[in-house]
Amino acid sequence: MDANATTPLAPEVVEAMRPYWIEQFGNPSSIHAQGQQAHAAVDRARESLARLFHCNEAEVIFTGGGTEGDNSAIFGMMRPGDHLITTSIEHRAVLQPAEYSAARGVEVTYLCPQPNGAISAEAVRAAITPRTRLISVMLANNETGVLQPVEEIGRIAAEAGVYFHTDAVQGAGKVHLDVDRIGCHLLTVSGHKFHGPKGVGALYVRPGTPLEPFIVGGSHERRMRAGTVNVPAVVGLAKAADLAIASLTDGTEARLVRLRNRLEAGMLAIEGTAVNGAGAPRTANTTNIRFEGVDGAALMIALDLKGLAVSGGSACHSGAVEPSHVLIAMGLDKNAANASLRFSLLRTATKEDVDYALHVVPDAVERLRKLSPIETGTLA
Ligand SMILES: Cc1ncc(COP(=O)(O)O)c(C=O)c1O
């Protein structure tokens, strides 16, 4: 139950990639037949990503994943003296480029979410100054699943004549993506979050967006991203995009909502639990649960020993355990953040998986509460 960390390759993705490792190994930049075969495969892959984004093929750049897409958007747009509006709940793939940009003379505003984990679009409007060049707000939060009001933010950006980037890494395959409806100029996705390969992704770039290339050294991807295209990975990403599109209309989302709700209801039956982000619209597969009085890291390890993989509300940075910056930004105190776990369901999750979690979690919580009672965390 850690699908927001990564997902396995779909069998169809493995099959689609297979020929491009060995028989059709050409470099898409070569002009001979082998190269042209590879080039055609990359062109077909671009069509799949264009269908995922609802855009033209020429607006898709293949990248080395979500982190590269986010870095490309921020570093490719921001110059000293510009103003960037982003949020305190972004993934580090956005936060760190923002910090680096700030060190190079960019002014950065970090908006805090409301207690339910959603950013207010009006707060975005209020933060715009004459120097604002880019707004970067994620589509769905990786820790809580909370969907951000990107369409409203897109309209606000358009009214103000400001460029808009959205990190849709946790949205792809979970919600319908339409770059015109969102009104974004840049949008990032990553293959491994929706049953595609790791280390490959795509960046949507609206025509006329003055994006400077982040990686230079060749004329690949219309000079926007130098480096020989990873053909098998791009073909796999495209197949994953095709499957993601299909999964949005075949009842997968409704099934996941039912499973997530069953999981949540079972967890909430345990005394002293609450859902972080409850009340906000969320992706179907994610729930972030606070187990008051429990050390989340210890619970995570106890569940791992039972074969249940989840993520904690704390992360290890340089050897020190830090509470989640997302939960802290939502107003939780350190203990409450550390007492939280993220459960994120794979597209293939079953009722049995959920029932197994409901079988092992209550016991583990009870045992830990008895063993080492810690100060009860509360919502600040
Ligand atoms: C919201 C978000 N953005 C960006 C990334 C980074 O993507 P990648 O692992 O492809 O570099 C992740 C991965 O966890 C993410 O959840």
Side-chain angles (χ1 to χ4, degrees):
M1 297 195 176
D2 203 13
N4 288 8
T6 197
T7 59
L9 290 191
E12 296 91 330
V13 170
V14 179
E15 282 315 307
M17 292 170 76
R18 198 182 295 281
Y20 296 96
W21 293 116
I22 301 171
E23 299 97 357
Q24 298 185 38
F25 64 91
N27 184 327
S29 302
S30 302
I31 52 171
H32 50 60
Q34 278 262 336
Q36 290 313 299
Q37 268 178 359
H39 197 284
V42 174
D43 280 349
R44 284 194 298 276
R46 212 181 297 283
E47 287 168 16
S48 290
L49 269 295
R51 278 195 296 276
L52 182 72
F53 296 157
H54 287 85
C55 71
N56 294 322
E57 297 94 76
E59 297 157 22
V60 176
I61 295 175
F62 290 116
T63 65
T67 303
E68 185 190 307
D70 288 344
N71 273 253
S72 301
I74 307 284
F75 288 131
M77 292 298 289
M78 303 310 297
R79 296 291 164 268
D82 291 340
H83 176 223
L84 167 68
I85 299 173
T86 187
T87 81
S88 51
I89 58 166
E90 299 298 309
H91 190 272
R92 285 183 205 281
V94 166
L95 289 177
Q96 285 199 350
E99 284 161 23
Y100 272 74
S101 300
R104 291 173 173 81
V106 169
E107 188 197 339
V108 185
T109 299
Y110 298 93
L111 299 174
C112 277
Q114 302 159 101
N116 67 2
I119 297 293
S120 140
E122 282 313 309
V124 174
R125 188 197 300 280
I128 294 174
T129 74
R131 286 196 294 119
T132 308
R133 180 162 171 87
L134 183 71
I135 297 167
S136 181
V137 177
M138 69 198 327
L139 193 139
N141 184 266
N142 43 304
E143 295 191 31
T144 59
V146 171
L147 292 163
Q148 304 300 329
V150 286
E151 292 181 20
E152 235 178 304
I153 294 171
R155 282 192 291 275
I156 290 169
E159 281 166 24
V162 171
Y163 297 104
F164 176 33
H165 165 246
T166 186
D167 173 343
V169 167
Q170 293 291 345
K174 297 172 188 161
V175 295
H176 184 76
L177 298 179
D178 181 331
V179 291
D180 285 339
R181 230 165 62 192
I182 297 170
C184 58
H185 300 83
L186 299 151
L187 178 146
T188 307
V189 297
S190 170
H192 74 107
K193 306 291 185 177
F194 57 103
H195 300 277
K198 293 172 179 59
V200 66
L203 180 67
Y204 161 75
V205 184
R206 188 172 292 279
T209 307
L211 183 76
E212 294 285 329
F214 174 56
I215 295 178
V216 293
S219 56
H220 318 83
E221 297 295 282
R222 291 180 305 286
R223 297 192 177 277
M224 290 310 295
R225 198 279 187 180
T228 302
V229 175
N230 185 343
V231 180
V234 157
V235 168
L237 173 73
K239 177 53 85 176
D242 293 343
L243 297 172
I245 295 167
S247 80
L248 292 176
T249 52
D250 68 1
T252 300
E253 192 189 4
R255 191 173 54 76
L256 282 179
V257 167
R258 278 197 302 277
L259 289 176
R260 194 266 315 270
N261 290 351
R262 180 182 181 85
L263 179 70
E264 235 168 42
M267 295 295 170
L268 291 175
I270 305 171
E271 209 182 311
T273 52
V275 174
N276 298 317
R282 285 179 291 153
T283 48
N285 79 320
T286 308
T287 182
N288 190 303
I289 302 193
R290 193 162 78 243
F291 299 90
E292 306 232 325
V294 172
D295 175 3
L299 179 56
M300 190 175 73
I301 292 164
L303 297 179
D304 189 30
L305 292 173
K306 297 277 182 195
L308 180 66
V310 298
S311 259
S314 54
C316 192
H317 295 295
S318 323
V321 178
E322 301 271 350
S324 146
H325 68 281
V326 174
L327 300 180
I328 294 291
M330 285 166 64
L332 272 72
D333 67 22
K334 198 165 172 272
N335 285 336
N338 283 337
S340 299
L341 290 186
R342 174 186 75 189
F343 298 76
S344 50
L345 304 177
L346 287 167
R347 198 151 75 198
T348 49
T350 63
K351 183 168 163 289
E352 287 67 38
D353 295 335
V354 169
D355 288 348
Y356 181 68
L358 294 177
H359 171 64
V360 293
V361 174
D363 281 355
V365 169
E366 193 185 324
R367 206 158 34 81
L368 285 170
R369 279 182 176 155
K370 274 193 197 137
L371 271 177
S372 57
I374 64 165
E375 204 183 310
T376 299
T378 50
L379 257 178

